[in-house]
Structures are given as structure tokens and as C-alpha cells.
Amino acid sequence: MLKEPSPQQHELEMVSLESLVPDNHLLRKIDQYIDFEFIRDRVRHLYCSNNGRPALDPVVLFKMLFLGYLFGIRSERQLVREIQVNVAYRWFLRFNLT
């Protein structure tokens, strides 16, 4: 008997980004061994603390460029599109699904 598929797009699911990235993924290994927080201290003197717009996080910017280099994404626009759809990239950057 052939059934019509039920609409999957309108169901609410509770998932964690942590559970969607495999334990043996390369980005998990990199995240385990490299602490990128040193970047913030290295560039702190380049940012004004009391003037201008709030800055983008330099750690996130560096990690984005690192992803592009690591996975051979040459275009920054393509990199942004890849980050929008790749769950492992979002996990590595500490972004949520939305």
C-alpha cells in the first residue's frame, strides 16, 4: 500500500547541536586541542573600548577564516553560505541552529 508522505517541515523537534556533530569529526579534535581564546588577548590593543560600534568577535572571525583554509573554501561569500548549512561548522563557531 502506497502512503502519502506526511509533511516533515512543520514538525517541532528538540535537538542539540552537540548531538548532531559526530564524535570523531575533525573539528571536534581541533576544538579539543586548540584553544583559540589567545587571539582575543593578542588583538585587544587594536580595538577601542569606549568609541565606535561594537566589534565582531575576533575569535569567531579567525575561526571562520580557519574553516575556509582547512576545507578549501576560497570565497568568503561561499564560506558564509557553507556556515549557514553545515552543522559542524556552526558547532565549531559556537553558533546555534537559528
Side-chain angles (χ1 to χ4, degrees):
M1 176 165 79
L2 183 63
K3 290 183 180 180
E4 290 292 324
S6 61
Q8 298 288 327
Q9 297 292 334
H10 302 291
E11 293 179 4
L12 180 64
E13 292 186 46
M14 300 297 285
V15 296
S16 123
L17 195 57
E18 188 73 27
S19 67
L20 296 175
V21 180
D23 290 336
N24 62 348
H25 196 282
L26 175 62
L27 291 177
R28 277 198 186 270
K29 294 176 183 176
I30 291 171
D31 189 64
Q32 180 181 1
Y33 291 107
I34 300 175
D35 182 16
F36 290 96
E37 291 301 315
F38 73 92
I39 295 168
R40 194 171 281 113
D41 294 331
R42 297 290 302 248
V43 299
R44 189 176 310 279
H45 70 281
L46 300 172
Y47 292 88
C48 182
S49 62
N50 60 2
N51 192 9
R53 298 186 314 194
L56 298 173
D57 185 6
V59 174
V60 172
L61 291 175
F62 181 83
K63 282 181 161 184
M64 288 174 75
L65 293 173
F66 180 75
L67 286 172
Y69 176 77
L70 186 63
F71 293 103
I73 305 169
R74 296 175 184 251
S75 163
E76 289 180 10
R77 290 180 183 176
Q78 181 63 32
L79 178 61
V80 169
R81 287 190 291 267
E82 291 292 328
I83 290 169
Q84 288 173 343
V85 299
N86 191 312
V87 174
Y89 294 175
R90 296 182 77 77
W91 174 86
F92 184 67
L93 296 170
R94 305 293 189 258
F95 289 173
N96 57 26
L97 287 174
T98 58

